[in-house]
């Protein structure tokens, strides 16, 4: 990597927030990089700009909704919708209602993930959808309860959002809200007793029987899929500012595409950021400058949808007969 230490390139690429997705193998800039893998921000193929989808996961009462609210408040000039995973809870049958204290609301099977996927698919394609509404008191679902219109940004929020790979694949950015277990439990007791009118013994029973185990078995293992981990949730305003800044940059690129319909913006990857860092550095050797500039130019000129170079086939006949 020429005269660059790993930490220099890491510093150039990292944005300050705890960023687990940044790994050394991604800095293998001279390794093979397929142009086919590079997405663009242009949504021209289907005539609309695909929304920027943010997934916010984390334990119950970790502060997910509060973090979402802070992001929305800061993105005040954008069209943002929040879709919560709890809207997709299966309603309980009469039999299940009788044994409601034995029902595990923290297990992945408690959610109708296929319905969530079909709603998200429509929203991603610019169609309005009816999102069901779940009642925490009756444990029943009301279908078609909330009409959600397509937006620039969709925030998906819920405890188990990173569990299913099909849901993860919908997301442009994955955030995990990481709050200590004792803080989560304290908040849960306060919320469930005061706001939901539940009995404290039932809240503690549910916690020790299902919530704690499900967190360890299903939620915590999905932390590794996050692009950004926010320690202390909504108290971490630095992390939230940086996230909003990143979303604004992405949306700005979409806006450019709206103004210039033939513009394709290749999405930044760590490789691309690393190469930019190198070619901008005055200390870069001529050899490295040529190597990385050449790689960058190739990415632009070879991109499968960018037919900026037209090719014609010519048949040349030489006087010698060849
Ligand atoms: N940083 C914070 N400081 C104090 N209370 C908070 C903080 N974040 C969230 N809360 C409170 O904790 C409870 C759960 O927060 P919420 O954002 O609804 O969590 P989640 O969506 O993860 O269940 C709410 O009553 C909320 O007001
Ligand atoms: O009928 C229900 C449905 C869910 N729960 C609990 O809610 C939390 C998830 O909601 P957050 O807003 O993310 O805290 C989960 O731990 C379930 O146990 C419930 O108690 N009753």
């Amino acid at each position: 990597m020429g005269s660059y230490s790993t930490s220099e390139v890491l510093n150039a690429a990292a944005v300050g927030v705890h960023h687990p997705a940044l790994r050394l193998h991604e800095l293998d800039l001279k390794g093979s990089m397929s142009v086919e893998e590079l997405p663009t921000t242009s949504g021209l193929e289907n005539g609309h700009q695909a929304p920027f989808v943010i997934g916010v996961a984390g334990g119950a009462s970790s502060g997910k909704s509060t973090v979402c609210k802070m992001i929305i408040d800061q993105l005040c000039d954008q069209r943002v919708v929040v879709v919560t995973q709890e809207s997709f809870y299966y309603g309980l049958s009469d039999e299940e209602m009788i044994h409601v204290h034995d029902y595990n609301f923290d297990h992945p099977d408690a959610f109708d993930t296929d319905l969530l996927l079909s709603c998200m698919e429509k929203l991603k394609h610019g169609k309005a959808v009816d999102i069901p509404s779940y009642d925490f008191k009756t444990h029943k679902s009301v279908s078609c309860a909330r009409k959600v219109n397509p937006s620039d940004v969709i925030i998906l929020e819920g405890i188990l959002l990173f569990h299913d790979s099909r849901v993860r694949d919908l997301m442009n950015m994955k955030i995990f809200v990481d709050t200590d277990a004792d803080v989560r439990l304290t908040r849960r007791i306060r919320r469930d007793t005061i706001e939901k009118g539940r009995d404290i013994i039932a809240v503690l029973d549910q916690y020790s029987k299902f919530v704690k185990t499900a967190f360890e078995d299903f939620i915590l293992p999905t932390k590794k899929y996050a692009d950004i981990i926010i320690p202390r949730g909504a108290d971490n305003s630095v992390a939230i500012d940086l996230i909003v800044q990143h979303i604004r940059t992405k949306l700005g690129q979409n806006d450019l595409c709206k103004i210039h319909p033939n513009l394709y913006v290749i999405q930044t990857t760590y490789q691309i950021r690393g190469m930019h860092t190198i070619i901008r550095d005055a200390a870069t050797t001529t050899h490295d400058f040529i190597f990385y500039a050449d790689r960058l130019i190739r990415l632009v000129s070879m991109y499968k949808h960018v037919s900026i170079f037209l090719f014609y086939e010519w048949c040349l006949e030489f006087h010698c007969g060849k």
Side-chain angles (χ1 to χ4, degrees), residues 90-94 96-98 100 105 133-142 196 198:
Y90 285 114
L92 267 60
S93 65
D94 293 342
E96 287 164 332
M97 279 301 286
I98 297 168
V100 68
F105 291 102
S133 182
Y134 177 79
D135 186 336
F136 274 71
K137 282 207 174 78
T138 60
H139 308 290
K140 297 270 185 239
S141 178
V142 183
K196 294 185 183 162
R198 290 185 181 171

Side-chain angles (χ1 to χ4, degrees), residues 26-42:
E26 289 175 316
L27 295 168
D28 177 17
L29 302 177
K30 285 187 177 172
S32 65
M33 182 169 18
S34 158
V35 177
E36 303 284 314
E37 288 162 15
L38 290 170
T40 68
T41 55
S42 174

Side-chain angles (χ1 to χ4, degrees), residues 158-174:
I159 50 173
L160 284 158
L161 272 180
F162 300 163
H163 181 76
D164 190 312
S165 63
R166 295 169 303 165
V167 182
R168 287 200 304 274
D169 290 345
L170 293 168
M171 299 166 187
N172 301 99
M173 182 198 256
K174 294 187 272 302

Side-chain angles (χ1 to χ4, degrees), residues 1-13 24 27-30 273-293:
M1 221 192 284
S3 56
Y4 296 90
S5 69
T6 304
S7 63
E8 276 174 300
V9 183
L10 275 174
N11 284 340
L24 287 183
L27 295 168
D28 177 17
L29 302 177
K30 285 187 177 172
R273 292 172 78 170
M275 287 192 280
H276 275 131
T277 308
I278 291 168
I279 63 170
R280 282 175 191 164
D281 192 320
T284 297
T285 62
T286 308
H287 174 270
D288 274 3
F289 180 87
I290 293 171
F291 180 85
Y292 290 111

Side-chain angles (χ1 to χ4, degrees), residues 58-62 64-65 86 89 92 100 103-106 111 134-140 157-159 188 191-192 196 198 206 210-211 219:
S61 298
S62 57
K64 299 181 298 296
S65 321
E86 67 187 34
Y89 264 121
L92 267 60
V100 68
Y103 192 89
N104 189 351
F105 291 102
D106 293 70
F111 298 95
Y134 177 79
D135 186 336
F136 274 71
K137 282 207 174 78
T138 60
H139 308 290
K140 297 270 185 239
E157 178 255 308
I159 50 173
R188 187 179 180 105
R191 188 181 60 179
D192 284 6
K196 294 185 183 162
R198 290 185 181 171
Q206 186 193 14
F210 299 119
V211 183
I219 302 174

